[in-house]
Amino acid sequence: MKLKILIYIVLPLLLSIVNAKEYDSSLTISTNEINVNQCGIATYDLTLKNTGEKEDTFYVLVEGIPEGWYSISHESINLKPNESKNVYLFITANCFEEPKNYTGKISFLGNSESKANFKMNVFADHKLEIIIPENISSCICEDSSFIVEIHNTGKYDEDVKISVVGGNLKQNQIKIKSGEKAQIEVKLDKSCDIKPGKYNIEIIAESTNSYAKTRRIVPISRESCYNSEISYPKEIRSCLNEEVKFNIALKNNGIKEDDFTLTIDALNISETTRVKPNEIKIFNLNFSSNEEGIIDIGFVIISKTKQEKGSLRFLVEKCYGVDLQPETNNIQIQLGNGKLLKAKIVNTGTKEDSYKISSNINWVSIRPQNITLKGLGSDEIFIYYSPEYGMKGKFDTQIKAESLHSIDIENITINVYETSSIEPLPVEQTQNITQTTIEVETNQTNIQGLLKNKTIIAVTTGVLLTLIVFGLIYLFVMRE
């Protein structure tokens, strides 16, 4: 081949030097256009004549036809003056290339140059075509399929084997008669891990009984048909034994309607709903707990193509509570007298609350009767008991602090006694009474001592005044 190219370049230079009459040639071709089927043979008959005055050697160059498709009867020809010779060009129309029309050129290069153009029109007796639909789209993470047609445009029946790169087939072998079409379903995988965009698959159809073969690249638009996003509070504060409302919002970001199922096992919740594209669904939910502390609860939302998990954290605190703390739960009252009992009220919750203080008896006065305390705050209340006339004995009474959210009741035992008959008291009350008696006796002793001291001072003062008077009288009398 390199030698031919060199001849093609060098010989024109030589021809420009040599007298044209000494070196000349002519070339004729019997038929310059041939129709041929795939795998068929196109034969061109050529006659080369040396019309010059001198003997010449000619080399053959073929252009326009793929190398390897053709053969030439003579690579070179030596011709005497006025001598001619037949040369034959044989071309095989490739069996596996798409049929088309070829334009070629054959040249005989010596001290002179002769050339001729020719055409080869390739047709197919065995031919297959793949017909695909326009604008094929598929949803990511969803099984889908589309239909292609295999068309036998050749003259003979074909046993066709079909293969797909990037997809699957329900049927990969089919017999198609001449001029008929067959439909083939191409299945696409879910492919949940790919991104939206354009993807290509390749479909190949080839006959097992002929050279017929074709292939087609099919662009597939993979779209995010099913997608969603959820939003929910990460932390929720709630009160002990009190129901708190919260919600989980779900938005369908896909282009297709989808079913979503919310499951919260810890709360025994399972709710399914259908959501349209771009629609937002609100799951309204309730939670309550009889235990304080941090409670983490997981949930899951399952749709047609995905599963999304989340976690809710509930901060459960004691928001409301009350504690009454009286100085004592047992008091003694002498008949005809009253008794004041002090108590402390504590808001044991974390939120402000208002309480009403009351008793189950009517011979009591309570102040304040209504009180509001901030979270963990406290204050004093005063309960004054005054038994009615004729009442004596032991009475079991109650003090109650109550709000809309909490209550505390304290039992107060009251012993109403007369002077002559005092029932035995509990050890604690006995100690209190003994201490009180000692204090009273001590006070009486102090008072008596104080009175005695005042008497001595008065007597002493009188004696001194008397002496002074007598002294003054004596002074005035002696002077006279």
Side-chain angles (χ1 to χ4, degrees):
M1 187 65 185
K2 293 181 178 178
L3 179 59
K4 291 180 181 180
I5 295 174
L6 182 60
I7 293 171
Y8 185 74
I9 296 173
V10 173
L11 284 181
L13 297 175
L14 296 175
L15 290 174
S16 64
I17 300 172
V18 178
N19 191 324
K21 293 181 180 181
E22 291 180 351
Y23 296 99
D24 200 4
S25 61
S26 64
L27 178 64
T28 58
I29 183 168
S30 59
T31 303
N32 65 350
E33 185 171 355
I34 297 176
N35 296 329
V36 64
N37 292 322
Q38 278 183 294
C39 295
I41 301 173
T43 304
Y44 297 89
D45 298 318
L46 304 109
T47 302
L48 177 65
K49 183 177 182 180
N50 182 357
T51 58
E53 297 176 352
K54 291 185 178 183
E55 185 178 350
D56 201 356
T57 300
F58 298 90
Y59 297 90
V60 182
L61 178 65
V62 178
E63 300 176 275
I65 300 296
E67 191 172 359
W69 284 28
Y70 64 87
S71 296
I72 191 78
S73 61
H74 299 81
E75 291 291 335
S76 64
I77 302 171
N78 185 267
L79 296 175
K80 295 178 181 181
N82 292 317
E83 184 182 4
S84 63
K85 198 166 190 177
N86 292 328
V87 180
Y88 306 100
L89 175 64
F90 306 96
I91 304 176
T92 297
N94 190 278
C95 299
F96 306 107
E97 292 291 331
E98 288 291 331
K100 69 176 185 178
N101 300 330
Y102 295 87
T103 299
K105 182 174 68 173
I106 185 168
S107 302
F108 291 86
L109 307 174
N111 291 311
S112 66
E113 177 183 355
S114 293
K115 60 184 178 181
N117 293 325
F118 63 91
K119 290 185 178 180
M120 182 178 71
N121 303 319
V122 182
F123 297 90
D125 284 344
H126 299 271
K127 186 177 181 180
L128 298 172
E129 291 183 5
I130 299 174
I131 303 172
I132 64 172
E134 295 182 358
N135 302 322
I136 302 174
S137 63
S138 170
C139 294
I140 292 176
C141 209
E142 180 184 51
D143 289 326
S144 60
S145 63
F146 63 94
I147 302 296
V148 299
E149 289 185 338
I150 310 298
H151 190 185
N152 182 355
T153 58
K155 297 179 180 180
Y156 306 96
D157 296 349
E158 304 288 352
D159 292 326
V160 183
K161 180 181 178 182
I162 303 141
S163 58
V164 177
V165 179
N168 298 294
L169 295 170
K170 283 188 174 180
Q171 184 180 11
N172 62 0
Q173 193 83 27
I174 191 168
K175 187 170 184 177
I176 311 174
K177 293 182 179 181
S178 175
E180 291 186 354
K181 298 177 182 178
Q183 289 189 338
I184 301 296
E185 183 179 4
V186 180
K187 296 181 63 178
L188 300 174
D189 293 334
K190 286 184 177 181
S191 301
C192 296
D193 56 345
I194 66 173
K195 295 181 179 180
K198 290 282 187 179
Y199 294 86
N200 292 331
I201 68 171
E202 183 181 19
I203 302 175
I204 303 169
E206 54 185 333
S207 175
T208 59
N209 62 317
S210 75
Y211 56 79
K213 181 178 181 180
T214 186
R215 61 190 292 270
R216 190 75 182 269
I217 300 297
V218 184
I220 306 292
S221 178
R222 303 306 296 262
E223 300 177 356
S224 181
C225 302
Y226 300 96
N227 196 15
S228 62
E229 63 176 323
I230 60 174
S231 59
Y232 57 94
K234 300 301 183 292
E235 289 187 351
I236 304 167
R237 290 189 173 275
S238 65
C239 296
L240 190 68
N241 296 318
E242 185 174 78
E243 192 172 76
V244 62
K245 298 182 182 297
F246 67 98
N247 60 65
I248 298 174
L250 180 145
K251 183 179 180 181
N252 184 356
N253 288 334
I255 61 175
K256 287 190 176 183
E257 191 175 64
D258 202 358
D259 292 325
F260 297 87
T261 299
L262 168 67
T263 302
I264 308 178
D265 291 333
L267 302 182
N268 197 26
I269 291 173
S270 181
E271 185 176 342
T272 301
T273 184
R274 177 162 290 184
V275 186
K276 296 179 180 179
N278 293 319
E279 183 182 3
I280 297 176
K281 167 65 180 178
I282 304 296
F283 294 95
N284 295 307
L285 306 164
N286 300 319
F287 170 82
S288 64
S289 174
N290 57 3
E291 295 183 4
E292 291 183 69
I294 298 174
I295 301 175
D296 291 322
I297 294 178
F299 69 90
V300 62
I301 295 180
I302 302 175
S303 66
K304 186 175 183 179
T305 59
K306 67 184 296 188
Q307 174 176 298
E308 195 162 359
K309 295 181 179 181
S311 180
L312 301 163
R313 170 163 287 188
F314 293 92
L315 306 177
V316 184
E317 56 187 20
K318 185 178 180 181
C319 300
Y320 303 101
V322 62
D323 183 24
L324 275 174
Q325 301 173 3
E327 290 178 321
T328 179
N329 292 84
N330 295 277
I331 59 176
Q332 304 287 333
I333 302 178
Q334 187 176 358
L335 188 64
N337 294 327
K339 186 76 171 182
L340 177 65
L341 175 65
K342 296 180 181 180
K344 184 179 181 180
I345 181 171
V346 180
N347 180 356
T348 59
T350 59
K351 291 189 176 182
E352 184 179 280
D353 204 359
S354 296
Y355 308 95
K356 180 180 179 181
I357 316 300
S358 61
S359 177
N360 62 340
I361 57 175
N362 57 8
W363 39 278
V364 63
S365 178
I366 301 173
R367 292 294 183 277
Q369 291 180 315
N370 297 285
I371 190 169
T372 298
L373 296 176
K374 293 182 178 180
L376 305 178
S378 64
D379 206 346
E380 281 190 317
I381 57 173
F382 305 91
I383 306 103
Y384 184 77
Y385 295 97
S386 181
E388 297 177 353
Y389 177 77
M391 290 179 61
K392 66 178 180 177
K394 184 181 291 185
F395 299 91
D396 294 323
T397 69
Q398 292 180 341
I399 305 173
K400 179 169 65 175
E402 183 178 11
S403 73
L404 294 175
H405 309 284
S406 58
I407 186 172
D408 186 28
I409 298 175
E410 289 289 330
N411 294 316
I412 305 297
T413 300
I414 301 175
N415 186 24
V416 182
Y417 65 91
E418 291 183 335
T419 305
S420 59
S421 59
I422 300 177
E423 294 186 10
L425 296 175
V427 176
E428 179 185 352
Q429 295 298 315
T430 303
Q431 291 176 351
N432 291 339
I433 292 174
T434 303
Q435 182 176 355
T436 303
T437 303
I438 293 173
E439 290 177 355
V440 171
E441 289 177 355
T442 301
N443 290 338
Q444 289 178 352
T445 302
N446 292 336
I447 293 172
Q448 290 177 358
L450 182 62
L451 291 175
K452 288 180 180 179
N453 291 336
K454 287 183 179 181
T455 302
I456 293 172
I457 292 170
V459 172
T460 304
T461 303
V463 172
L464 291 174
L465 290 174
T466 302
L467 292 174
I468 292 170
V469 170
F470 279 111
L472 292 173
I473 294 173
Y474 175 77
L475 290 174
F476 283 113
V477 173
M478 291 301 296
R479 286 181 180 179
E480 294 178 356

